[in-house]
Amino acid sequence: MRRIVSSISTTDPDFRRNDAHYRRIVEDFRARQQAARYDRPERDLARLERQGKMRPRERLEKLLDPGTPFLELSTLAANMDYDGEAPGASAITGIGIIAGREVAIRADDSSVKGGAWYPLTIKKIVRLLDIALENRLPVVHLCDSAGGFLPLQSDLFADRHMAGRIFRNQCQLSKLGVQQLSLVFGHCTAGGAYVPALSDYSVIVKGTGAVFLGGPPLVKAATGEEVGVEELGGAEMHTSVSGTCDYYAASEDEAIAIGREIVSQWRRQPKWACQRDPIEDPYFDPEELYGILPDSPKAVFDMREVIARMVDGSRFHEYQPNYGTALVCGFANIWGWKVGIIANNGVLFNDSSLKAAHFIELCNQNETPLVFLQNITGYMVGRDYERAGITKDGAKMIMAQSCSRTPKFTVMCNSSYGAGNYGMCGRAFDARFLFGWPTYQVGTMGGEQAVNTLVEVKAAQMRRNGEEIDQAVLDGVRDETRRAYEHQLSAYFATSRIWDDGLLDPVDTRNALGMAITASLNAPLGEPGYGVFRL
């Protein structure tokens, strides 16, 4: 494949301005990540020390193979919820290497409210288990939770994707023969008791580990029985009497060592034969992305320049380069793996929609994973475009993308608005992993479009009611809508709600995609087939 020809000059004033702007954004992003991972009240850290417990990330570090990467997911979950009291949604999730095997890992963060599960904690755990199911990844659970955060109990339990979904997913993993291990460092109470009980293997730590449907206070309230933690659900009882847990560990270090031994016995999942070439670093420096990305969400930039700093050797075979030019499609390699890339260079027109649908079909025929790079304001609107069938052609693209049998991966690079989000494999369309950059925006439409639309709607309402147009009222609608959209369109708002699998420094995107693609190949390809294309 030919190398992309770059037109970027690093001495250009616009490049330098963009570079300085984006480096400030990345510095802020890194600071937020650091705080979410490590900043905790001293009293919480002292409590763990008194209990003889490691910090959650210390456990994780000892569990993973030395020197191997860990793809952490949703680090900034809940960063704009619960008044900031649940950094990371009080859980750590990601993909790592244990005993040479790719494993999905989820850990209760006992430095946050004793590892209590908030609604977004449950959403984060369910998402990790969905990833394990989709990619056939074994799971290791690091259990140490005070249970559900009861003040928010109505959002924890009853609905389809609340806490019960955790246990449903565990059952589905077992049905598929995907192994699970629980390391019980602390309490597993109420529903949480089912995490080790539904795992294939479990290790419980003496003195701190406990598993029970109801702890001593609940048992006393319900039955009048007085019983201590160890007798009710401690390590010795569960490994010698009930058989609920398999291995007794005298310390956390021993539990981790036993856990690593267990994982080392697991069969290595064969990967399906995705085409692969020798790995090359990009020819162009990935740090040049900082100068390429605009300092305004409205500004246009050439996605080929992004691709050139992301793919192996900066090589790219572009498909139909002279047709549907608002969309860039083509083949490249990431970490050696052959991928088909679909990237926005503007609004989606009829021709670019048809080009995307056909290219997706080609990738499915060739068994090539798909990477979507989003910077999309939507499909083109207007009388002439509707008469030309833009809705019909957009539906073809959505049908092809939705029914793809090859794994899909999405990166929200800048804007992601309206139905363009759908066609470009937004959250609802089962990308194996979906990442965002710190400046991306997602919503039904851009902020200014929303402001102008709602002002027009309000003015029309006044006219229908026979009222005079009150400019002060319209200005109030304008200001209120703009403030709401500025808040809700933010990448930090989206990642707080776990609408993505985490924000990335653009420079790290290549490695994140490389790990994600590698992990995805554990699952067999889906069956070929599409629904009805409206011709």
Side-chain angles (χ1 to χ4, degrees):
M1 285 188 287
R2 286 175 289 180
R3 181 174 296 137
I4 292 173
V5 177
S6 176
S7 62
I8 294 298
S9 169
T10 58
T11 60
D12 182 272
D14 287 342
F15 179 95
R16 291 187 169 185
R17 185 185 68 253
N18 289 342
D19 182 83
H21 172 75
Y22 216 98
R23 286 182 187 274
R24 288 192 295 271
I25 289 170
V26 168
E27 184 179 359
D28 173 64
F29 164 61
R30 293 290 189 190
R32 292 178 189 234
Q33 269 196 329
Q34 180 76 9
R37 287 170 172 162
Y38 299 107
D39 288 1
R40 300 291 184 271
E42 189 57 42
R43 67 179 182 277
D44 292 326
L45 300 179
R47 171 177 48 79
L48 295 181
E49 188 173 350
R50 285 195 309 272
Q51 294 171 341
K53 291 182 177 181
M54 297 182 195
R55 298 180 187 184
R57 290 183 182 274
E58 187 180 356
R59 293 169 178 161
L60 185 61
E61 185 177 346
K62 292 191 174 190
L63 183 66
L64 295 169
D65 289 358
T68 59
F70 178 62
L71 179 59
E72 186 170 352
L73 305 174
S74 299
T75 311
L76 295 174
N79 78 93
M80 295 178 69
D81 291 271
Y82 314 130
D83 297 321
E85 292 184 357
S90 74
I92 304 166
T93 62
I95 313 298
I97 309 296
I98 301 174
R101 290 152 177 81
E102 292 161 335
V103 175
I105 301 169
R106 72 118 200 134
D108 297 316
D109 190 342
S110 49
S111 68
V112 179
K113 302 286 186 183
W117 288 0
Y118 288 75
L120 285 170
T121 314
I122 290 168
K123 186 174 183 179
K124 186 170 178 176
I125 296 170
V126 169
R127 175 59 187 150
L128 188 275
L129 295 178
D130 283 342
I131 288 170
L133 282 166
E134 291 163 356
N135 300 287
R136 301 296 195 273
L137 288 171
V139 181
V140 176
H141 305 267
L142 279 60
C143 305
D144 189 0
S145 173
F149 187 67
L150 294 180
L152 299 176
Q153 69 85 27
S154 64
D155 293 323
L156 297 175
F157 179 72
D159 208 352
R160 182 180 182 188
H161 290 284
M162 292 181 181
R165 195 72 175 185
I166 296 171
F167 317 124
R168 175 266 183 194
N169 281 1
Q170 285 191 265
C171 295
Q172 294 300 311
L173 284 164
S174 186
K175 176 182 175 181
L176 292 170
V178 180
Q179 301 96 333
Q180 294 177 77
L181 162 67
S182 284
L183 302 179
V184 182
F185 297 109
H187 286 193
C188 296
T189 307
Y194 290 113
V195 173
L198 289 170
S199 295
D200 304 283
Y201 305 83
S202 59
V203 183
I204 184 168
V205 178
K206 171 190 175 183
T208 57
V211 177
F212 29 55
L213 294 178
L218 179 59
V219 169
K220 183 175 181 180
T223 69
E225 180 183 8
E226 293 194 15
V227 62
V229 168
E230 286 299 308
E231 184 184 0
L232 182 64
E236 185 170 350
M237 191 282 289
H238 275 314
T239 56
S240 63
V241 178
S242 75
T244 299
C245 297
D246 303 317
Y247 299 87
Y248 174 100
S251 67
E252 293 197 4
D253 279 317
E254 185 181 8
I256 291 168
I258 295 171
R260 286 183 52 82
E261 289 177 10
I262 291 168
V263 174
S264 72
Q265 313 307 314
W266 293 349
R267 69 182 182 277
R268 296 180 186 273
Q269 188 73 17
K271 296 181 182 295
W272 62 269
C274 181
Q275 184 178 338
R276 194 176 198 186
D277 299 320
I279 299 175
E280 288 184 78
D281 289 333
Y283 176 79
F284 297 105
D285 185 356
E287 287 211 9
E288 291 175 1
L289 287 170
Y290 298 147
I292 292 167
L293 301 172
D295 58 5
S296 166
K298 298 179 183 179
V300 176
F301 58 97
D302 187 352
M303 273 291 190
R304 295 176 188 85
E305 299 289 359
V306 172
I307 294 168
R309 288 150 182 87
M310 190 180 294
V311 302
D312 291 12
S314 303
R315 302 180 192 281
F316 183 59
H317 174 81
E318 187 167 353
Y319 173 72
Q320 289 191 324
N322 299 322
Y323 178 74
T325 55
L327 195 71
V328 176
C329 299
F331 297 100
N333 293 74
I334 296 176
W335 275 25
W337 301 115
K338 183 71 65 183
V339 296
I341 296 178
I342 300 176
N344 300 117
N345 257 6
V347 67
L348 286 163
F349 293 92
N350 297 73
D351 54 2
S352 48
S353 302
L354 294 172
K355 173 179 171 178
H358 191 65
F359 182 70
I360 291 168
E361 289 182 302
L362 295 178
C363 288
N364 275 258
Q365 178 194 64
N366 199 49
E367 297 185 348
T368 302
L370 287 159
V371 174
F372 293 84
L373 303 178
Q374 286 202 13
N375 179 26
I376 180 62
T377 55
Y379 289 91
M380 192 61 193
V381 297
R383 182 188 61 186
D384 291 344
Y385 295 102
E386 292 294 352
R387 290 172 67 88
I390 185 62
T391 303
K392 182 172 67 173
D393 292 339
K396 293 187 184 78
M397 178 179 175
I398 292 171
M399 178 68 75
Q401 180 268 108
S402 182
C403 296
S404 174
R405 67 188 290 245
T406 63
K408 300 176 291 185
F409 308 86
T410 302
V411 182
M412 316 284 247
C413 301
N414 205 37
S415 301
S416 180
Y417 299 140
N421 171 278
Y422 301 161
M424 290 296 294
C425 196
R427 191 57 149 177
F429 289 86
D430 297 328
R432 297 291 184 91
F433 294 84
L434 185 150
F435 301 110
W437 290 349
T439 52
Y440 94 83
Q441 296 185 346
V442 61
T444 54
M445 61 183 72
E448 284 306 310
Q449 294 97 316
V451 167
N452 293 334
T453 299
L454 289 176
V455 167
E456 285 294 325
V457 169
K458 185 64 178 177
Q461 182 186 58
M462 289 178 174
R463 285 191 288 269
R464 282 197 308 272
N465 294 338
E467 303 173 13
E468 289 189 16
I469 299 298
D470 188 331
Q471 192 59 46
V473 171
L474 297 183
D475 289 344
V477 170
R478 186 184 307 276
D479 293 342
E480 182 180 350
T481 304
R482 182 176 287 113
R483 283 194 301 272
Y485 263 71
E486 285 174 356
H487 175 69
Q488 294 174 10
L489 288 175
S490 159
Y492 291 107
F493 183 89
T495 204
S496 184
R497 302 293 177 89
I498 318 181
W499 296 349
D500 54 48
D501 292 317
L503 300 185
L504 297 173
D505 179 338
V507 170
D508 294 334
T509 305
R510 166 183 163 79
N511 286 335
L513 285 173
M515 289 189 70
I517 293 165
T518 303
S520 77
L521 303 180
N522 292 307
L525 280 170
E527 293 297 319
Y530 294 97
V532 174
F533 288 94
R534 183 174 293 278
L535 301 175

